[in-house]
Amino acid sequence: MNYLEIINKCLVELNYKKVSKFEDLVKNDHLKIKNILNIINAEICTFDNWNFLLRKQSITLPAKTSEILNTVNGKINTLSIDNKKLFYTPNYEQFLFSENKHLAQYSVLNDKLLLPIYDREKTIDIIYYTNNFVKDAQNNEKSRLETETDISLIPEPFVEPLLVYGTCMKIKANPQYSKFAYWMNMYKENLATMRSKLCIDAQQTPQIILKRN
């Protein structure tokens, strides 16, 4: 379901008039819906470590170099060199003030990846969760819904109810509104169902844990 179709679903749910062309979305309510749709789409995509956002990238680490530009557009899940996993540490100082030749770790400082020093050039293999939550008609990924044919990366059949009910809930933002409770329940139910359905391993099954004070 593309951007225009989702917007029209929101308009119908809010009892507004649908539009036939993307260029007709010029009213304040239209602009508000477009903005909130992007907010909801980003919130859902960053809500969990979704498998549909996993990507892989390789970066070259020059010999005798410990700092390189972090070109990964997202959150690193796994970083490995020579098929050996390096573990993240927030202690960036050990990379800045030591030779760190034997560390099985990496760190990050601003826009730089900090890594062990190797005598030869190495290839860094990175698996990460992308910050691109949308794709265009040519399957190019990007961060925001912008044009009529753009599509959220949220899988079917969850994309419609999550974006429509989530957006309507934000637009009205009033628990006393007649449809607010319905939108909230549908949004929560579909989010929970997506978490359950997209689990690859049985160990990932969502659980509800009740804690005593």
Side-chain angles (χ1 to χ4, degrees):
M1 181 166 286
N2 66 36
Y3 193 20
L4 178 59
E5 291 169 334
I6 290 289
I7 291 171
N8 271 327
K9 290 280 187 179
C10 291
L11 290 171
V12 170
E13 194 66 29
L14 292 164
N15 295 318
Y16 297 155
K17 185 179 179 181
K18 292 200 301 184
V19 298
S20 57
K21 295 184 298 182
F22 194 75
E23 293 74 18
D24 294 335
L25 296 167
V26 294
K27 296 180 180 180
N28 287 336
D29 286 335
H30 296 157
L31 300 178
K32 190 174 181 181
I33 289 171
K34 289 168 71 175
N35 182 55
I36 291 179
L37 267 171
N38 272 294
I39 292 172
I40 293 295
N41 190 57
E43 283 182 354
I44 295 167
C45 287
T46 55
F47 179 78
D48 209 339
N49 292 331
W50 304 110
N51 291 324
F52 62 84
L53 296 177
L54 279 174
R55 302 291 182 269
K56 186 176 182 181
Q57 178 178 337
S58 294
I59 304 174
T60 298
L61 175 65
K64 301 184 184 302
T65 302
S66 64
E67 299 181 28
I68 59 170
L69 185 66
N70 181 10
T71 58
V72 175
N73 181 28
K75 181 171 58 176
I76 295 174
N77 180 66
T78 304
L79 185 150
S80 62
I81 297 176
D82 294 336
N83 292 322
K84 296 179 180 179
K85 182 177 178 179
L86 275 64
F87 295 91
Y88 172 75
T89 173
N91 184 14
Y92 60 86
E93 290 183 344
Q94 68 181 349
F95 292 88
L96 297 177
F97 305 123
S98 68
E99 293 185 358
N100 59 72
K101 288 185 177 181
H102 305 294
L103 295 176
Q105 296 176 317
Y106 75 95
S107 192
V108 176
L109 178 63
N110 296 326
D111 60 347
K112 297 289 183 64
L113 287 175
L114 307 181
L115 299 141
I117 297 174
Y118 297 91
D119 293 330
R120 293 184 296 173
E121 179 180 285
K122 295 289 183 177
T123 298
I124 308 167
D125 294 315
I126 300 173
I127 297 173
Y128 65 100
Y129 294 94
T130 180
N131 284 338
N132 288 326
F133 309 134
V134 175
K135 64 180 179 181
D136 62 21
Q138 288 73 44
N139 285 323
N140 298 311
E141 295 185 355
K142 56 183 185 176
S143 61
R144 291 177 56 84
L145 294 157
E146 297 171 313
T147 63
E148 175 181 344
T149 54
D150 287 347
I151 297 174
S152 169
L153 292 183
I154 298 171
E156 295 285 356
F158 307 107
V159 61
E160 178 184 340
L162 286 175
L163 292 187
V164 172
Y165 295 131
T167 298
C168 291
M169 202 168 51
K170 289 273 191 181
I171 288 284
K172 291 304 180 181
N174 181 5
Q176 304 305 315
Y177 187 77
S178 58
K179 284 189 173 182
F180 187 87
Y182 170 74
W183 291 334
M184 178 180 287
N185 288 335
M186 292 300 291
Y187 175 82
K188 289 182 175 180
E189 285 180 14
N190 278 277
L191 187 58
T193 302
M194 184 169 79
R195 293 187 71 187
S196 176
K197 294 291 186 182
L198 296 185
C199 287
I200 302 300
D201 190 283
Q203 299 301 318
Q204 289 184 293
T205 302
Q207 297 179 344
I208 298 175
I209 300 175
L210 300 178
K211 295 182 178 180
R212 294 182 178 181
N213 294 328

